[in-house]
Amino acid sequence: MSAEGPPRGANRAPSGGSAAAKPQAWGDHPADVAQFDVVVIGAGPGGYVAAIRAAQLGFATACIDEWTRDGGKPALGGTCTNVGCIPSKALLQSSENYALAGHAFAEHGIEIGGLAMNVATMLARKNKVVAQNNDGIAYLFRKNKVAFFHGRGAFAGKDGDRWSISVDGPAPASLAARHVIIATGSAPRALPGVAFDNVRVLDNAGALAIPDVPKRLGVIGAGVVGLEMGSVWRRLGADVTILEALPVFLGAADEAVAKEAQKQLAKQGIAIRLGVTIAAVRTGTGEVGVDYTDAAGKTQSATFDRLIVSIGRVPFTSGLGAANVGLALDARGFIAVDAECRTNLANVFAIGDVVRGPMLAHKAEDEGVAVAERLAGQQGHVDFNTIPWVIYTSPEIAWVGRTEQQLRSDGVAYRSGSFPFAANGRARALGDTTGFVKILADAATDRVLGVHVIGPWASELIAEGVMAMEFGASSEDIARICHAHPTLSEATREAALAVDKRTLNL
Ligand code: FAD
Ligand code: NAI
């Protein structure tokens, strides 16, 4: 990796289009340099939210982003909106609907003949959802008076106490900023020597745009992208094999949750091979061959029509001009920041995927808000202990706080309470009784230390756990709160009751 970071990911389009906002100029600076209090580089969830919050707080704010969609228009929203959170959830919903229509509707008396999947229509819908979100952010910029510059932003130097930022695009601009917030995100990590071509070897952008259902889909990496994208294409009929280097499945999740997830995904026909070492990926024959060593040390070979490589992401700082101003990166290429997102340069901050911490949109957003508020002299704060994780497989998986294995290794005495959706009336009515809610609480104080959900709408249910932990709630607090009936959230209350071994409905 160069000092500037990895090469540009295939999912990032070159700059195009024109600046959406006229440069503003005031003060005793050259009239052709637009002056701002805050310039944000990158309009992903970190950058665009930081820009909006800074503008709300009264700063003259600009945001620069280079992502371009068909027709040369800007595509605001970064990885999350264009080739991440939003399109993946659109495809997960479409494929889930198809799976339900095929397997679950009959028991409701809904009889469907000639069920078929039109992949082109599904992809067009996904693109429409993405475009709606792109346009939504442009609207928010206008509403909040954030000046937008379409192109690549780079540090050009410093003039007095102001950073000089160049915008390189069809409408080049020069900006000067008192404060800079870098939110340039991340790019997919490639296997050494195996370039993404997005025909056979796919990154996240390719995985979200496969034009027809592959008969045999290989996935390298059983992380979040691999499981979500593997689920999409499995539901549509692909034979999916996931090859994972680690010997344990979903090691970051609570072990009981990971075990249930592995069981359910296997039931859906997703083959998950753990403990593999990839030896070679062969392309060029209209297929992809993968040679690997399995967990037992045996040499294996598999052939796929397409191969998704989802082995993590790397920080993206290419073209930012970091070296021009001596911006420090850490050994892994992330921009080095302190706990408050300060870089080594005065008044320059960095947030989101390009800095340490989980690569999640809501973490990026919260860091953006916190930095803008700190600039305004407020006490911006992000609590890394209460950042929720969600994996949008079926069943959904969500958690916040520590897992049982972490509490054990931290030597914390805890009590655990679980409640299965099989005993929840709403889950039965939904026809989805897979999974459970589990609450871990401190044995001495009863303070909630972790909430783990696998099952229907885990992505929504986890908010109660986050709220409880943010407010330092005990499991008894959750157990004493009135939960509407019949709802899935009653399973959370019952899990809280289970911590004290007094469930009412089990
Ligand atoms: P990004 O979203 O990567 O945005 C960075 C922006 O900066 C881009 O628009 C880029 O073009 C621009 N940029 C970079 N350099 C420059 C420059 N020099 N000048 C101008 N512009 C520049 N997270 C979740 O929380 N939930 C999910 O469900 C979820 N699903 C995901 C699904 C997939 C398939 C993937 C790949 C990721 C997913 N993520 C999800 C992760 C999420 O997308 C990232 O954590 C999030 O996008 C990070 O936001 P960011 O603002 O830091 O960076
Ligand atoms: P990941 O870090 O979640 O998973 C990568 C997996 O690949 C790991 O299990 C790792 O052990 C494995 N791996 C690494 N090298 C390997 C190799 N050589 N051979 C085989 N396996 C190997 O990364 P992923 O899935 O690419 O996603 C990137 C990030 O995007 C995630 O960490 C997450 O932060 C974010 N994301 C979040 C989502 C969500 O919140 N629902 C959805 C998708 C992505």
Side-chain angles (χ1 to χ4, degrees):
M1 195 187 302
S2 75
E4 285 280 84
R8 218 151 175 63
N11 58 339
R12 291 167 182 275
S15 300
S18 58
K22 288 259 180 289
Q24 305 164 8
W26 64 89
D28 52 359
H29 291 268
D32 57 347
V33 177
Q35 307 289 325
F36 292 96
D37 298 322
V38 179
V39 166
V40 183
I41 305 179
Y48 91 75
V49 167
I52 289 173
R53 188 71 189 118
Q56 284 176 347
L57 289 164
F59 293 112
T61 305
C63 185
I64 310 167
D65 192 280
E66 63 180 341
W67 212 300
T68 304
R69 53 181 143 159
D70 288 349
K73 277 175 75 178
L76 298 172
T79 300
C80 172
T81 301
N82 291 295
V83 290
C85 325
I86 300 299
S88 59
K89 268 77 256 181
L91 294 190
L92 279 156
Q93 191 60 52
S94 297
S95 58
E96 175 85 358
N97 290 349
Y98 177 71
L100 290 175
H103 306 302
F105 282 7
E107 72 169 32
H108 295 267
I110 304 169
E111 293 165 7
I112 301 176
L115 181 69
M117 187 71 208
N118 185 326
V119 174
T121 304
M122 175 182 78
L123 295 179
R125 174 187 178 274
K126 179 241 346 177
N127 292 342
K128 196 171 151 199
V129 172
V130 168
Q132 284 167 343
N133 282 275
N134 296 142
D135 294 340
I137 298 166
Y139 159 79
L140 292 172
F141 275 2
R142 286 193 296 275
K143 180 180 164 206
N144 288 282
K145 301 195 172 27
V146 173
F148 175 66
F149 293 88
H150 190 199
R152 175 171 290 195
F155 282 97
K158 203 170 182 192
D159 181 10
D161 66 344
R162 288 179 177 247
W163 293 101
S164 305
I165 310 285
S166 63
V167 181
D168 184 16
S174 296
L175 316 185
R178 220 184 292 276
H179 306 281
V180 179
I181 303 175
I182 304 167
T184 48
S186 63
R189 187 154 80 88
L191 275 171
V194 185
F196 294 113
D197 60 13
N198 274 342
V199 179
R200 297 285 156 213
V201 181
L202 315 174
D203 62 13
N204 53 301
L208 289 160
I210 302 177
D212 42 30
V213 181
K215 199 170 155 357
R216 301 157 303 174
L217 177 68
V219 180
I220 300 186
V224 204
V225 171
L227 295 179
E228 290 187 358
M229 290 296 97
S231 293
V232 166
W233 296 103
R234 173 67 203 141
R235 289 169 190 166
L236 300 183
D239 283 335
V240 176
T241 303
I242 305 185
L243 303 172
E244 164 62 43
L246 292 177
V248 288
F249 178 68
L250 222 48
D254 186 88
E255 53 202 7
V257 169
K259 195 170 155 207
E260 178 69 15
Q262 192 172 5
K263 189 174 104 189
Q264 295 301 331
L265 293 170
K267 239 166 90 177
Q268 291 162 26
I270 298 180
I272 300 171
R273 314 251 179 274
L274 300 175
V276 311
T277 305
I278 306 293
V281 173
R282 290 170 281 104
T283 53
T285 56
E287 300 177 324
V288 199
V290 180
D291 301 331
Y292 64 95
T293 310
D294 67 18
K298 230 175 115 195
T299 304
Q300 302 278 3
S301 192
T303 306
F304 303 111
D305 301 300
R306 313 248 187 198
L307 178 71
I308 297 172
V309 176
S310 46
I311 57 170
R313 297 178 65 82
V314 289
F316 186 81
T317 53
S318 181
L320 181 62
N324 297 343
V325 287
L327 177 69
L329 308 184
D330 70 16
R332 295 188 301 151
F334 289 92
I335 295 175
V337 289
D338 68 9
E340 300 200 322
C341 295
R342 283 189 183 80
T343 69
N344 66 315
L345 303 177
N347 299 328
V348 177
F349 298 77
I351 59 171
D353 278 14
V354 79
V355 303
R356 83 285 172 267
M359 288 184 164
L360 295 172
H362 39 285
K363 176 264 194 183
E365 289 179 28
D366 284 11
E367 284 184 333
V369 168
V371 165
E373 292 182 348
R374 280 174 206 136
L375 294 181
Q378 299 181 2
Q379 302 296 319
H381 178 66
V382 181
D383 184 353
F384 273 56
N385 298 312
T386 51
I387 294 176
W389 277 86
V390 178
I391 307 178
Y392 296 80
T393 43
S394 178
E396 289 187 346
I397 298 163
W399 72 89
V400 59
R402 281 184 280 178
T403 60
E404 279 209 51
Q405 61 268 32
Q406 281 170 332
L407 291 173
R408 279 199 305 269
S409 86
D410 292 350
V412 177
Y414 65 93
R415 293 193 300 167
S416 168
S418 293
F419 190 82
F421 285 108
N424 174 275
R426 184 73 193 279
R428 287 194 200 115
L430 276 175
D432 186 355
T433 54
T434 317
F436 55 84
V437 180
K438 172 164 151 178
I439 293 181
L440 305 172
D442 188 285
T445 65
D446 194 34
R447 187 178 177 139
V448 176
L449 301 174
V451 179
H452 304 271
V453 189
I454 177 166
W457 291 106
S459 54
E460 301 294 334
L461 292 173
I462 199 62
E464 181 175 6
V466 178
M467 175 88 89
M469 286 189 64
E470 272 291 336
F471 282 90
S474 62
S475 76
E476 189 184 346
D477 288 332
I478 298 178
R480 286 190 181 279
I481 290 170
C482 185
H483 287 66
H485 176 77
T487 60
L488 297 170
S489 72
E490 287 174 289
T492 306
R493 180 193 215 175
E494 290 281 357
L497 286 164
V499 171
D500 201 33
K501 300 198 179 1
R502 55 186 183 98
T503 51
L504 294 167
N505 284 285
L506 191 67

